C-alpha cells in the first residue's frame, strides 16, 4: 500500500532525482530548466512543504510540494518517477490534501471532482 508522508532531510537526494528525471525532458523544448528543477529542496523539506509518496517497498515514487497560503493550499509541484508515470500516482497524491491540524505533518486525502 502506498503511503503519503512529509519528506525528511534524508529524502532530499531522492526528491531531487525524481524532479530531475520528471522534468529533464522539457529542458530542450523550453531552452532552460523548468522552475521545479531550480528549487531548493533542502529548504522546502526543512519548511515542511514537501511530501512523498512511498511504495509498499518504501521507495519514493512521487513528490508533491504544497505551499500554505492564507486561504488555500497552492499545489506548486507534483513529480512522479518516470518508471511510475501513468499509474495515477500524481492524481492520488493531489486529491484534496488538507492538513489534519497545523504542524501535525499529516494529511487527509479525499477525492475531488473536476470539471472538464
Amino acid at each position: 500500500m502506498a503511503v503519503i508522508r512529509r519528506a525528511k532531510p534524508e529524502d532530499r537526494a531522492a526528491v531531487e532525482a525524481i524532479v530531475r528525471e520528471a522534468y529533464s525532458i522539457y529542458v530542450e523544448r523550453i531552452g532552460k530548466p523548468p522552475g521545479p528543477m531550480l528549487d531548493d529542496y533542502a529548504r522546502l523539506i526543512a519548511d515542511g512543504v514537501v511530501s512523498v509518496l512511498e511504495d509498499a517497498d518504501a521507495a519514493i515514487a512521487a513528490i508533491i510540494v504544497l505551499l500554505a497560503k492564507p486561504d488555500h493550499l497552492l499545489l506548486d509541484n507534483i513529480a512522479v518517477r518516470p518508471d511510475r508515470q501513468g499509474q495515477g500516482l500524481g492524481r492520488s497524491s493531489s486529491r484534496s490534501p488538507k492538513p489534519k491540524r497545523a504542524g501535525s505533518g499529516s494529511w487527509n486525502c479525499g477525492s475531488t471532482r473536476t470539471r472538464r
Side-chain angles (χ1 to χ4, degrees):
M1 173 176 212
V3 173
I4 298 173
R5 64 166 175 80
R6 182 96 25 125
K8 300 178 269 189
E10 55 267 26
D11 297 324
R12 191 188 98 224
V15 168
E16 290 173 344
I18 290 169
V19 170
R20 185 175 48 257
E21 292 169 10
Y23 286 98
S24 64
I25 63 170
Y26 300 106
V27 174
E28 185 177 336
R29 186 179 306 168
I30 64 175
K32 62 181 181 180
M37 292 179 77
L38 306 174
D39 286 344
D40 180 352
Y41 288 97
R43 181 184 55 80
L44 292 171
I45 290 169
D47 290 347
V49 299
V50 180
S51 294
V52 297
L53 185 141
E54 284 186 338
D55 285 336
D57 63 358
I60 297 174
I63 67 109
I64 185 168
V65 179
L66 293 168
L67 304 176
K69 300 298 179 182
D71 60 347
H72 66 281
L73 286 173
L74 172 65
L75 196 163
D76 188 58
N77 183 15
I78 292 180
V80 179
R81 270 189 1 223
D83 65 320
R84 297 302 310 275
Q85 290 175 2
Q87 299 176 19
L89 297 178
R91 182 177 32 251
S92 68
S93 298
S94 66
R95 286 197 175 137
S96 196
K98 299 178 184 102
K100 287 183 178 178
R101 59 187 166 78
S104 72
S106 300
W107 298 89
N108 286 336
C109 292
S111 63
T112 59
R113 292 187 178 156
T114 57
R115 295 182 204 205
R116 296 187 189 256

